[in-house]
Amino acid sequence: NLIALGDVGSTLAIGLRLLGEDCISEIGIYDRDNNRLKRWEHELNQIKDPAGKMEFPIVHSIDREDLFNCDMFIFCASKGVPDVTSQIDDVRMVQFKSNSKIIAEYAHLAREKRFKGIFAVVSDPVDPLCKVAFLESNKDSMGKLDFLGLSSDQIIGYGLGVMNARASFYAEKSPQTVHFLKEGRLYGPHGEGLIVANRIENYNEKISNDLTEKTVNANKVIRKFGYKPYIAPSLSSGSLSILATIRGDWFYGSTYIKEVYMGARCRLLPTGIELEQLNLPDKLVSKIKESYNRLAGII
């Protein structure tokens, strides 16, 4: 089930409808705007292949009370996205306060419904919002933590998929960086604090720093063109990464590590979430620790 059919939610739903036939039977959609909800129920179900060979997941509108009657809940709601003319440096963190209030509402509902599936967070800023969802779902009516809500590994953040795609976009432009596509890795949050490693063996800090800078600022390039950068995030971080999760494939996701949600390569197995384990160079480890501490200071 997916909540909020704005630019991100609707594009993500298109991706799931087109590509999810092997692993999704139904997609429930919900939006507070009833006309928008009806529009997307009609539009999505009218995506068909001309030969009639493909079977698509059925899309149906649902009520708020049925949001957590599913295996995976996808949170795409957002408020206060800065205009493309805005000079704000980190547009993701600007949305933290308003989006925290929204996600808290649905975290409480997940607790009330005793939800046992995956609570997928797509809205910005992904990593801190994951922790808000975890904490809020585990508070009683008096606001005290009792840990009777969502478990930490039920919540996964989806923001790093597009950062990997953006790093790949820049890396494939040069013979000096094209190796990233097969050997590179990303760690950290979706935004400031992201770490792009050009490769693990023979790690090059200069090349990695350059790729990191380009990747972190890639959204600003689209905004300079006069557009909000939501298509690649909706598909790379959203649809494709969510489908990889369902299939048990490797993907980039933010998962709970000690006291923060932080991005790395992982996969969801019947036994739980598995983080990729690699022998990392010391310089890279130091950067990851620095990014971790920055996230821990946010919430």
Side-chain angles (χ1 to χ4, degrees):
N1 290 341
L2 182 151
I3 179 175
L5 295 161
D7 291 335
V8 172
S10 58
T11 306
L12 194 157
I14 292 170
L16 295 181
R17 166 78 175 176
L18 284 171
L19 302 171
E21 68 171 311
D22 67 312
C23 59
I24 300 175
S25 58
E26 298 177 40
I27 301 170
I29 54 173
Y30 172 77
D31 193 282
R32 291 180 176 179
D33 184 326
N34 197 45
N35 284 331
R36 182 185 292 165
L37 182 59
K38 289 179 180 178
R39 177 223 172 166
W40 280 106
E41 183 176 25
H42 282 73
E43 294 265 38
L44 291 167
N45 284 310
Q46 290 170 18
I47 297 174
K48 302 278 188 181
D49 70 301
K53 294 181 178 180
M54 298 176 67
E55 292 187 17
F56 300 96
I58 299 167
V59 180
H60 57 94
S61 60
I62 57 174
D63 296 326
R64 182 180 181 276
E65 287 301 305
D66 293 322
L67 274 170
F68 290 98
N69 183 20
C70 63
D71 298 301
M72 177 180 278
F73 168 77
I74 305 172
F75 182 82
C76 297
S78 192
K79 185 179 180 182
V81 180
D83 187 80
V84 292
T85 60
S86 171
Q87 297 301 309
I88 295 170
D89 190 51
D90 192 344
V91 297
R92 302 178 186 94
M93 287 306 297
V94 169
Q95 302 170 70
F96 183 40
K97 186 176 180 180
S98 57
N99 286 352
S100 290
K101 292 180 181 178
I102 302 172
I103 204 169
E105 175 187 343
Y106 293 99
H108 294 155
L109 184 59
R111 172 193 172 98
E112 179 185 319
K113 298 294 184 180
R114 300 182 183 276
F115 182 55
K116 299 302 179 184
I118 296 297
F119 191 113
V121 180
V122 179
S123 301
D124 281 330
V126 170
D127 310 82
L129 286 182
C130 285
K131 189 169 182 181
V132 171
F134 172 62
L135 293 175
E136 291 298 323
S137 79
N138 282 287
K139 291 179 181 178
D140 63 19
S141 58
M142 302 300 290
K144 291 186 178 181
L145 285 168
D146 60 10
F147 297 101
L148 297 177
L150 297 168
S151 63
S152 60
D153 61 351
Q154 280 184 261
I155 303 167
I156 303 175
Y158 291 86
L160 218 57
V162 74
M163 300 312 241
N164 177 59
R166 287 168 174 167
S168 299
F169 170 78
Y170 289 110
E172 62 190 3
K173 291 181 177 294
S174 169
Q176 279 70 48
T177 54
V178 72
H179 58 266
F180 170 83
L181 277 68
K182 291 186 177 180
E183 301 175 53
R185 291 293 186 274
L186 287 87
Y187 300 94
H190 172 61
E192 195 65 36
L194 173 75
I195 300 157
V196 178
N198 70 307
R199 55 174 31 134
I200 301 305
E201 290 188 25
N202 300 314
Y203 169 73
N204 185 298
E205 191 168 33
K206 185 178 183 303
I207 292 175
S208 297
N209 288 345
D210 183 55
L211 279 175
T212 298
E213 183 179 359
K214 289 177 179 176
T215 302
V216 169
N217 293 308
N219 65 322
K220 296 178 184 177
V221 175
I222 305 300
R223 292 176 73 87
K224 284 181 180 177
F225 299 152
Y227 296 93
K228 291 180 181 178
Y230 68 85
I231 295 174
S234 302
L235 298 173
S236 294
S237 288
S239 307
L240 292 166
S241 295
I242 285 168
L243 288 167
T245 307
I246 296 169
R247 292 167 180 152
D249 295 335
W250 290 102
F251 69 99
Y252 279 103
S254 290
T255 58
Y256 198 66
I257 304 173
K258 191 177 179 181
E259 60 177 322
V260 304
Y261 279 86
M262 183 167 171
R265 202 159 179 255
C266 58
R267 61 180 173 177
L268 182 63
L269 302 174
T271 51
I273 294 170
E274 178 188 5
L275 289 174
E276 183 182 51
Q277 297 186 49
L278 300 170
N279 291 319
L280 305 179
D282 291 340
K283 285 185 178 181
L284 182 55
V285 171
S286 295
K287 285 189 173 185
I288 293 172
K289 286 181 178 179
E290 184 180 334
S291 182
Y292 179 94
N293 291 333
R294 180 184 176 278
L295 279 171
I298 294 174
I299 179 173

